[in-house]
Amino acid sequence: MKSAALTQELDRSLKNRASFGQALRHSLTMAYRGLLKIRRTPEQLFDVTIQPILFTLMFTYIFGGAISGNVENYLPIIIPGILVQTVISTSIVTGVQLREDMDKGVFDRFKSLPIARIAPLAGALLADTIRYTIATVLTFAMGYIMGYQPEGGLGFVAIAGILVIACSWAVSWIFAFFGVIARTAASVQGISMLVLFPLTFLSNAFVPVETMPTWLQWFVQLNPISHLVSAVRELVNSGTIGTEFVLSLASAAVIVAIFAPLTVRAYMRRT
């Protein structure tokens, strides 16, 4: 009788699965690890600090006069476009850093720890939301400095920022998938750029859709990046939440629904 009770106790103590609460705590701990990495190597933030400033200045002063007649009229168009393009672009780093950690054997060491196996992956994705937040704040700050005055007010600016961060987090699952299945960090970056560049530049982020060839307009109008840019413009320029907002959230949900299981499955096979 005592032997049977001892066997049951050992079976319970040797469980190979973490509960949801444990997995969440472990993921938050790994997210904190990601923040420590940023603090110790602040050069990781160059893309989310320099790029928003550089792109906002370049695109505004190069295209402003040609597209809208002057810089002031172009700011309500370009700031939401630059915001989406910059923050979405920073999500590539998620896959690159994930591949680098796996190549260095960091994830092999995590396997020996009594933590949820999904925690290192989930923690990395959570930590990168800080990068998206920095890029979002800097882009709006540059817009204010250049004279941009969102008609929607500060509240809708905040909602727009949260929307872009949430959608970027969803897109980061795509690049995390590339990070798990690719062989090198360089290949992750190359594949990710091939996917991202058509989506960001073949959109309404920088120029009106009407100025494009008819055969190209159908793709631009279906592009989820175009819906996100339109949603941000509606929020910050007019203070409205419309169909584009719903379509952006729906697109993000579809991306997560597809790529999160694929990424987790591939990650579990690798680890």
Side-chain angles (χ1 to χ4, degrees):
M1 194 73 175
K2 186 181 291 186
S3 176
L6 181 61
T7 301
Q8 285 183 342
E9 184 65 29
L10 286 173
D11 288 341
R12 281 197 297 269
S13 63
L14 293 175
K15 276 194 310 183
N16 198 29
R17 289 184 177 275
S19 66
F20 176 78
Q22 289 173 325
L24 180 60
R25 289 196 300 272
H26 298 162
S27 299
L28 292 174
T29 301
M30 287 299 169
Y32 179 66
R33 168 187 173 265
L35 298 182
L36 290 178
K37 285 175 61 180
I38 293 175
R39 192 181 71 178
R40 291 172 181 171
T41 54
E43 59 269 19
Q44 292 184 39
L45 295 178
F46 281 177
D47 61 331
V48 295
T49 53
I50 304 301
Q51 184 173 313
I53 297 172
L54 208 58
F55 275 24
T56 304
L57 291 171
M58 287 176 56
F59 279 86
T60 301
Y61 289 112
I62 291 174
F63 298 122
I67 295 175
S68 299
N70 56 62
V71 169
E72 289 73 19
N73 292 336
Y74 190 49
L75 285 173
I77 299 173
I78 191 60
I79 295 300
I82 286 290
L83 172 66
V84 173
Q85 189 261 356
T86 301
V87 180
I88 293 287
S89 296
T90 62
S91 62
I92 292 178
V93 178
T94 300
V96 174
Q97 290 185 344
L98 184 62
R99 182 69 260 170
E100 288 177 346
D101 278 348
M102 294 179 76
D103 289 341
K104 292 175 182 177
V106 175
F107 282 75
D108 290 331
R109 291 195 289 272
F110 289 152
K111 286 168 59 178
S112 65
L113 299 176
I115 61 174
R117 292 180 66 189
I118 194 60
L121 174 62
L125 291 167
L126 285 173
D128 280 338
T129 57
I130 300 300
R131 300 168 55 83
Y132 311 149
T133 303
I134 293 172
T136 299
V137 172
L138 281 178
T139 302
F140 277 126
M142 277 303 301
Y144 281 120
I145 292 171
M146 297 172 69
Y148 178 47
Q149 299 293 328
E151 297 293 331
L154 187 59
F156 283 97
V157 168
I159 295 173
I162 294 171
L163 174 66
V164 173
I165 292 168
C167 291
S168 298
W169 179 82
V171 171
S172 70
W173 280 102
I174 300 176
F175 304 127
F177 177 68
F178 294 154
V180 173
I181 66 172
R183 295 185 178 181
T184 64
S187 63
V188 175
Q189 187 162 13
I191 295 169
S192 301
M193 295 299 282
L194 285 175
V195 172
L196 191 62
F197 261 55
L199 288 175
T200 53
F201 284 96
L202 297 181
S203 70
N204 62 352
F206 307 112
V207 298
V209 179
E210 297 76 21
T211 62
M212 301 179 185
T214 305
W215 59 267
L216 185 59
Q217 290 184 22
W218 71 269
F219 175 81
V220 174
Q221 291 168 350
L222 292 175
N223 187 349
I225 299 296
S226 295
H227 293 302
L228 180 56
V229 172
S230 297
V232 173
R233 285 175 180 156
E234 289 177 355
L235 286 166
V236 299
N237 293 331
S238 58
T240 57
I241 298 176
T243 306
E244 300 292 349
F245 183 90
V246 176
L247 288 174
S248 298
L249 288 179
S251 299
V254 169
I255 291 172
V256 174
I258 294 173
F259 281 94
L262 288 175
T263 304
V264 171
R265 193 175 298 116
Y267 169 77
M268 289 300 188
R269 285 201 301 265
R270 288 294 184 94
T271 58

